[in-house]
Amino acid sequence: GAAAAARDPEPVSTAPTDAPAGKTCKGAADGTNWPSVVEDDRSCWICLESGPDTSGIPLRRDCSCRGDSGWVHIDCLKKFARSSFTDNESRFKNKDGMRLNPWESCNNCKQDFINTTAIELGKDYLKFAKMKYPNDEVEHILAQVLRLESLTSKNRDRTKRQTSEAQVVANVIIQKSRQVRHEVDTSGRLVGYNAYRHERALTFEAYACDILGCMIYEENGDLKRSLEYLNQALALTSQIDDTKENPTKCRIEGMIGMVMGDMSEQEGGHRGVPSESMIESLRLAHENDRREFGEVGESSLVSALQYMKALKLANHGIKAETMCHEMSSKIMRVHGKNHPSSSFIIESKAT
């Protein structure tokens, strides 16, 4: 009876949170066998329908919702994002007054979408921006930036094809940003909206150069080319804010130091230990990301990994491991142990 059930509870499945929609989690203990039993309570939180959509695309959950919540059809999510848009100052505020871009963040758990959902929504926002603002190139570039984020920092399972696509998108951002800057420069009127367009174009171009430099470095590619992009990003960022406190500048300077260290080692020389100033630059950048994007935001996670790598190279392994442990605990508390971000930070302990 009840006493026996209390002594021998049903085994809890260790299946991943994004297990095939419409299947139960009551199979082998390792979650590899899925009985073909439909779960009536797993349904799209928007249309409330279970199973695949009309195109045969299954439910997905690429956010931090848990249990049976958060499952959604991507097409429903696209329609929801467009219906949430209004032409006013608070266009991305939810009912609680929080700023929330429906193409970027889950309306339920308030965390950013990642992987396939982020990529599909990034594509959709680009189409929407071109339709809504046909003559506003700055809005079009901003949409490309969102798309680039979805392919890089928000994509835990990036394929070679997606890396190539990200490089194309980054180069489009650079090209279009330069066109906007050229238009403003030739107008001779760097005031008002023109000044805004010029600064945004600088920011977008710097971001794309930064992403390209980091991608090439992460893929163990041409370090010289990586350094060229990072130096471009640094020069552009310095035009916007050349102060020592500029967090973006700090992080890029730290990355340049990392690349130069690898170049020295690759050329047969001794890899220099990261300087204290480089480590401090990466620390400041990470602290800023924590304030701006939250402790477990995707940008915070990326800057944390860069900072921890520098700490390990500078023989501050204990400090890096302590930081990694603290971040793992926070990320699992917010996202859950099966979330890709949790796995990502845990795997970094071994590197």
Side-chain angles (χ1 to χ4, degrees):
R7 288 194 303 272
D8 300 301
E10 184 176 20
V12 177
S13 170
T14 58
T17 57
D18 59 350
K23 305 294 183 182
T24 66
C25 294
K26 301 175 184 177
D30 62 359
T32 55
N33 296 321
W34 298 97
S36 54
V37 179
V38 177
E39 277 190 348
D40 294 332
D41 54 353
R42 179 173 293 177
S43 58
C44 173
W45 67 266
I46 296 174
C47 72
L48 305 182
E49 296 290 332
S50 59
D53 63 15
T54 54
S55 301
I57 301 173
L59 292 163
R60 286 197 65 87
R61 182 169 65 183
D62 287 327
C63 60
S64 298
C65 289
R66 305 186 201 181
D68 292 321
S69 66
W71 293 96
V72 69
H73 296 122
I74 291 180
D75 272 352
C76 289
L77 208 47
K78 292 175 182 177
K79 293 172 185 175
F80 173 80
R82 294 188 179 214
S83 67
S84 301
F85 182 92
T86 57
D87 272 328
N88 56 45
E89 183 81 23
S90 59
R91 65 186 185 185
F92 291 144
K93 285 186 179 180
N94 66 4
K95 63 182 181 179
D96 299 318
M98 289 181 63
R99 293 195 67 79
L100 200 67
N101 184 337
W103 279 276
E104 290 188 88
S105 307
C106 173
N107 195 60
N108 301 311
C109 67
K110 309 299 186 280
Q111 300 300 314
D112 282 356
F113 294 115
I114 59 171
N115 294 346
T116 298
T117 301
I119 292 170
E120 289 301 314
L121 291 179
K123 291 178 184 176
D124 188 66
Y125 183 64
L126 179 59
K127 293 178 183 176
F128 177 82
K130 288 183 176 181
M131 175 192 71
K132 189 71 177 177
Y133 308 104
N135 301 314
D136 193 334
E137 198 62 44
V138 171
E139 283 288 342
H140 299 172
I141 303 172
L142 177 59
Q144 293 281 15
V145 167
L146 176 59
R147 187 178 172 207
L148 182 56
E149 286 181 345
S150 74
L151 287 163
T152 54
S153 61
K154 295 180 181 178
N155 187 7
R156 291 282 169 266
D157 304 314
R158 193 167 72 222
T159 63
K160 289 184 178 180
R161 179 177 167 277
Q162 289 168 343
T163 296
S164 297
E165 185 180 353
Q167 291 172 342
V168 171
V169 173
N171 280 302
V172 167
I173 293 170
I174 292 171
Q175 180 186 7
K176 291 187 176 296
S177 296
R178 288 175 178 172
Q179 288 174 355
V180 170
R181 289 203 291 132
H182 178 70
E183 289 172 11
V184 174
D185 290 340
T186 54
S187 73
R189 299 178 60 190
L190 195 61
V191 293
Y193 186 58
N194 267 354
Y196 165 80
R197 292 177 68 217
H198 191 272
E199 183 173 330
R200 295 302 286 164
L202 272 175
T203 303
F204 296 150
E205 185 179 348
Y207 173 76
C209 288
D210 182 11
I211 289 292
L212 280 170
C214 289
M215 269 202 305
I216 295 169
Y217 179 68
E218 290 166 5
E219 297 290 327
N220 298 314
D222 185 343
L223 294 179
K224 185 177 180 181
R225 189 157 160 256
S226 170
L227 187 60
E228 287 173 358
Y229 278 120
L230 289 170
N231 279 327
Q232 285 182 46
L234 181 61
L236 292 164
T237 301
S238 297
Q239 288 185 53
I240 302 167
D241 180 2
D242 198 27
T243 62
K244 292 181 180 180
E245 293 75 22
N246 180 350
T248 304
K249 181 184 172 185
C250 286
R251 191 188 56 73
I252 296 172
E253 287 174 340
M255 281 303 301
I256 288 173
M258 299 284 285
V259 175
M260 290 180 69
D262 280 10
M263 287 177 70
S264 176
E265 187 176 39
Q266 195 177 75
E267 292 167 1
H270 177 67
R271 194 192 203 293
V273 174
S275 66
E276 289 302 317
S277 62
M278 186 209 309
I279 293 173
E280 179 63 10
S281 292
L282 291 171
R283 186 192 69 79
L284 289 172
H286 175 57
E287 288 298 320
N288 178 77
D289 283 346
R290 288 176 60 193
R291 287 192 298 271
E292 187 170 349
F293 304 107
E295 291 198 64
V296 296
E298 296 303 313
S299 294
S300 304
L301 177 57
V302 172
S303 60
L305 293 175
Q306 293 170 346
Y307 177 41
M308 286 189 287
K309 182 175 181 179
L311 285 172
K312 289 178 182 178
L313 290 171
N315 301 316
H316 296 309
I318 295 176
K319 187 173 182 179
E321 287 176 14
T322 301
M323 180 180 172
C324 189
H325 176 74
E326 291 174 352
M327 283 210 68
S328 298
S329 300
K330 292 172 184 174
I331 287 172
M332 284 192 282
R333 190 164 59 246
V334 173
H335 295 308
K337 67 178 181 179
N338 293 318
H339 191 276
S341 292
S342 302
S343 303
F344 192 53
I345 194 72
I346 290 170
E347 287 169 6
S348 73
K349 292 180 181 180
T351 61

